[in-house]
């Protein structure tokens, strides 16, 4: 992290309006060109319970949500009671003293009470305290009032002048009160003059789909994947994307397969439970050789599990989904801009190889939000549709008979879409011959079965050389190599910085993105130079560790695992590495201390 | 195979004509790559023959038709007809067909399958695609039994029926697909019988021409596993609605007729309404620009700019 590293925590009950102050602060930070990560720890209820939003901003890219809070805004007593004990010297707590009493704070924690009743006796309603707190906070980090005024003006534009004036007035009162009564932090948030974008991973996945040319998107609502559906639905008409909410996930994937076979780029998203229902159909896409993309945003399982908590527990599910061996491509993007880039990459691959593609995200990545340089959002991506015939409604004349499943060296057979004159054929989920004629019951033929099965599976050999090779991050010579996959990249990177700065331990890092096919040789050649390998993953059983071992023979020296529903914080990894390097343990499971 | 059916297979289309410059097909030209492997005498031959005849009569070309099926004896049909086909998973044909129809609404989509496939394992898709009024024709070869799995009860098996899975007689009530479909939002609901070919051809043609969800439940006897509901059983009982003075635009009359069962079982068109648009007609994205599948991909630079602007 850079010179400025500020984390704000806002907590309260669902329905208390936490999102709004969070959004206002986030907008202000990214409009100043500051980097930002936000993570909302919430419960699967619409009102009540406890929600805790952490916003971490800085002058350098923010890798994770960190592990400390500099400014706490408790919107109710419950939040005060849960979080005050975690506040350290130099930190600030801003709260409405009409309703909330402080407990005993550590030395050096600045308690900043304000009374809405005294400050604005004429104002009613809970949301006033939120606005006052945000305004006071901005005063304490040296942000000029004008910026807040501008944001509030935009936010309440639709409600009219008087509502704008009222909110700006409330904010002014909070801002001035903080100036008169509280001690500001020793730094001011700079303004770099550059603006950044700010959005969640689900939006990145949806936008990646739009860029890739998705024309058909369907889903059944399920947290934490619904964000993709919501973005798609909101932009459907503007972008010419058909968006459907289907009766169940079995219907979702089958409908997507139908649309994909007819020639659309089709995508769907769900979480683990919905994905389980899609298993058989994913195999059918592979059998009929239809390209389709399915996103699984993992949440803590099994079964309904913990709907609003994160986990990386579905690796084996997606690798094993459906009966039989079949070609599939599985990828786990490692950060939010990577979500955006991965979708078009995967579509090009599945179109070329005519098989299903699965994106493995998780709640942390999909519902976590991050600042992103808008230059990274290039919608002008390359679109390669592979060997496909009839996409504009016409087609070249057929030479001899058309065989949908022609056995070729690459395993790829040119695919004609229905509606194309001259290429009439049947695709089947039963085993079939080159022409699509069933060989399952009429005259089961082991030679034909072998030839066509090998043709299908052979396609995977072509995928591997097209994938970007995995790269080792950090010093070539290190005491320990941390290995992760998917969403844990940021926390591991920050842990490596901390290990070097605070513990004098030199570590490097390999984050695996392409899971199937696995770039086993490349990984092996990187890891064969490592002194100690520690695998970090957000599940109980070490799903990736076991997979890596089965594919490469690499048995890690240590494991850091977490399955309490919350994501890794960098210091969890630091603590684990210290213990493993010291030989105290081979497996470390951190305790998540911010009790939300 | 019954002689009546063979006649139709052999007959070529009389009123030869052209459509879109295509020479009209003959039934022979609609023959698939292989011959059906159904048991001799299976009702499904009659459905295949009637479908081919309907396609010929409507002047359609093989590439304009997409047949979609699930799994079952009856679901093997797409392999036996020279048209585009998708032989999907057990119970999933309607979902796949909906995706394909919306992706290319120029296609004439005909879904074919069994009673188990459609009313059992596929029941949820059946309900929801009726209320959506998806523009497709659904031919259910209703033999009141699971044929391919060698004879267990199906959702349309009558109470008391003895099968391999109910050796002492089934205790469950059967589904009656006709009132279910009328109530469920299907806009063309009919019942056919493979023993009445011309009548069946007419129903199928009407279904294909109908803009919206058309269900045609067809008594298509399984000669191997269902000896209760045989060809003779139906032959003796079916009565044509057309001859009963039924008005298919009368909802209450349709519902009343739909519940008739016993010595007289009605076949024909129970219910039809043309005042409701099909799903593709309601979908704003399809309002202009032709089939979704044929459109260029990607996001315009202006749209991209506005999307990014929204995030800042
Ligand atoms: C998911 C799944 N479950 C079970 C089966 C086995 N199966 C194949 S066909 C069938 C039922 C066939 O009955 P029906 O749909 O009425 O068609 P019919 O054979 O009578 O024409 C079953 C249960 C399957 N293929 N897939
Ligand atoms: S088992 Fe029954 S349904 Fe299947 S082909 Fe034979 S007669 Fe037809």
């Amino acid at each position: 992290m850079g010179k400025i590293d500020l984390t704000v925590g806002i907590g309260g009950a669902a329905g208390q309006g936490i999102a709004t102050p969070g959004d206002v602060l986030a907008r202000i930070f990214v409009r100043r060109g500051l980097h930002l990560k936000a993570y909302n720890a919430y419960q699967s209820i619409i009102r009540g319970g406890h929600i805790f939003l952490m916003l971490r901003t800085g002058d350098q890219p923010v890798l994770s949500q960190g592990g400390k809070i500099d400014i706490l805004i408790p919107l109710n007593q419950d939040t005060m009671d849960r979080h005050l004990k975690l506040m350290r010297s130099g930190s600030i707590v801003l709260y409405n003293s009409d309703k909330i009493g402080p407990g005993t704070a550590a030395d050096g924690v600045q308690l900043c009470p304000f009374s809405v009743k005294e400050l604005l006796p004429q104002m009613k309603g809970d949301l006033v305290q939120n606005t006052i707190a945000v305004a006071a906070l901005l005063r304490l980090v040296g942000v000029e009032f004008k910026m807040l005024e501008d944001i509030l003006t935009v936010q309440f534009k639709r409600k009219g002048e008087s509502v704008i004036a009222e909110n700006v007035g409330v904010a002014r009162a909070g801002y001035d009160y903080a100036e008169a009564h509280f001690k500001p932090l020793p730094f001011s948030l700079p303004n770099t003059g550059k603006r950044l974008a700010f959005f969640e991973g689900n939006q990145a996945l949806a936008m990646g789909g739009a860029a890739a040319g998705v024309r058909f998107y369907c889903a059944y609502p399920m947290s934490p994947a619904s964000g993709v559906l919501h973005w798609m639905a909101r932009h459907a008409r503007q972008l010419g994307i058909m968006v459907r909410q289907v009766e169940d996930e079995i219907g979702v994937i089958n409908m997507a397969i139908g649309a994909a076979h007819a020639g659309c780029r089709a995508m769907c998203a769900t979480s683990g439970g919905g994905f389980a229902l899609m298993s058989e159909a994913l195999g059918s896409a592979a059998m009929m050789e239809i390209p389709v993309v399915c996103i699984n945003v993992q949440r803590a399982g099994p079964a309904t599990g913990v709907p609003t908590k994160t986990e990386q527990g579905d690796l084996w599910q997606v690798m094993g989904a459906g009966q039989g061996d079949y070609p599939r491509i599985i990828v786990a993007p490692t950060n939010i801009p990577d979500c955006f880039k991965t979708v078009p990459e995967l579509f090009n691959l599945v179109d070329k190889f005519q098989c299903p593609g699965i994106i493995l995200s998780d709640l942390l990545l999909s519902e976590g939000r991050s600042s992103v340089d808008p230059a990274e959002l290039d919608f002008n991506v390359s679109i390669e549709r592979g060997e496909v015939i009839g996409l504009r409604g016409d087609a070249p004349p057929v030479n001899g008979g058309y065989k949908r499943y022609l056995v070729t060296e690459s395993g790829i057979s040119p695919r004609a879409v229905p509606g194309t004159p001259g290429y009439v054929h049947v695709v089947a989920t039963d085993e079939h011959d080159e022409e699509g004629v069933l060989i399952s019951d009429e005259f089961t033929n082991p030679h034909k079965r072998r030839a066509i099965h090998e043709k299908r599976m052979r396609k995977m050999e072509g995928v591997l050389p097209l994938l970007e090779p995995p790269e080792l991050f950090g010093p070539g010579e290190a005491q320990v190599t941390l290995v992760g996959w998917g969403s844990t990249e940021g926390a591991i990177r920050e842990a490596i910085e901390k290990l070097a700065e605070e513990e004098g331990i030199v570590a490097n890092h390999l984050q695996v993105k392409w899971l199937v096919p696995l770039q086993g040789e490349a990984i092996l050649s990187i890891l064969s130079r490592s002194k100690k390998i520690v695998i970090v993953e957000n599940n109980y059983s070490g799903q990736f560790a076991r997979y890596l071992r089965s594919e490469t023979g690499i048995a890690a020296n240590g494991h850091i695992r977490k399955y309490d529903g919350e994501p890794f914080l960098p210091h969890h990894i630091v603590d684990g590495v210290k213990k493993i390097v010291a030989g105290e343990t081979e497996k470390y499971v951190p305790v998540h201390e911010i009790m939300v | 195979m019954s002689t009546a059916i063979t006649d139709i297979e052999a007959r070529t289309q009389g009123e030869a004509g052209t459509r879109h410059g295509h020479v009209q097909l003959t039934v022979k030209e609609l023959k698939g790559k292989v011959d059906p492997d159904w048991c001799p005498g299976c009702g499904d031959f009659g459905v295949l023959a009637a479908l081919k005849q309907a396609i010929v009569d409507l002047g359609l070309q093989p590439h304009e038709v997409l047949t979609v099926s699930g799994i079952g004896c009856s679901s093997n049909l797409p392999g036996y007809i020279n048209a585009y086909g998708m032989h999907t998973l057990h119970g999933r044909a309607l979902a796949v067909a909906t995706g394909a129809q919306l992706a290319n609404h120029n296609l004439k989509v005909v879904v074919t399958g069994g009673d188990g496939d459609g009313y059992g394992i596929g029941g949820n898709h059946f309900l929801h695609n009726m209320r959506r009024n998806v523009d497709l024709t659904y031919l259910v070869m209703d033999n009141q039994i699971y044929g391919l799995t060698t004879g267990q009860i199906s959702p349309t098996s009558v109470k008391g029926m003895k099968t391999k899975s109910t050796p002492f007689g089934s205790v469950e009530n059967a589904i009656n697909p006709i009132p279910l479909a009328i109530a469920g939002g299907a806009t063309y609901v009919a019942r056919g019988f493979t023993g009445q070919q011309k009548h069946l051809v007419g129903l199928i043609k009407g279904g294909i021409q109908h803009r919206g969800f058309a269900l045609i439940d067809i008594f298509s006897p399984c000669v191997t596993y269902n000896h209760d509901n045989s060809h003779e059983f139906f032959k003796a009982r079916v009565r044509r609605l057309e001859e009963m003075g039924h008005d298919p635009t009368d909802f209450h009359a349709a519902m009343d007729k739909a519940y008739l069962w016993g010595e007289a079982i009605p076949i024909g068109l129970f219910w039809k309404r043309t005042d409701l648009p099909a799903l593709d007609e309601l979908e704003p994205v399809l309002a202009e620009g032709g089939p979704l599948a044929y459109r260029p991909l990607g996001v315009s630079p202006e749209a991209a700019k506005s999307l990014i602007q929204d995030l800042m």
Side-chain angles (χ1 to χ4, degrees), chain A residues 6-68:
Chain A
L6 172 77
T7 303
V8 178
I10 309 175
Q16 272 199 301
I18 289 167
T20 314
D23 285 348
V24 168
L25 290 175
R27 288 229 168 206
I28 287 177
F29 296 157
V30 294
R31 284 187 178 196
R32 298 177 85 82
L34 295 171
H35 299 271
L36 176 65
K37 265 215 157 50
Y39 183 75
N40 194 18
Y42 66 112
Q43 297 176 334
S44 190
I45 47 176
I46 309 303
R47 299 217 164 246
H50 182 241
I51 296 186
F52 197 68
L53 172 68
M54 279 173 82
L55 290 165
R56 186 186 187 195
T57 190
D59 53 354
Q60 296 296 315
V62 179
L63 294 169
S64 77
Q65 66 188 98
K68 62 170 179 54

Side-chain angles (χ1 to χ4, degrees), chain A residues 280, chain B residues 44 71-75 90 114-118 121 141 143 145-149 154:
Chain A
E280 191 191 19
Chain B
D44 297 351
I71 295 295
C73 297
S74 44
S75 288
H90 191 35
D115 39 292
D117 191 74
I121 190 167
M141 286 161 257
N143 55 10
I145 195 87
Y146 280 20
L148 191 63
T149 44
S154 98

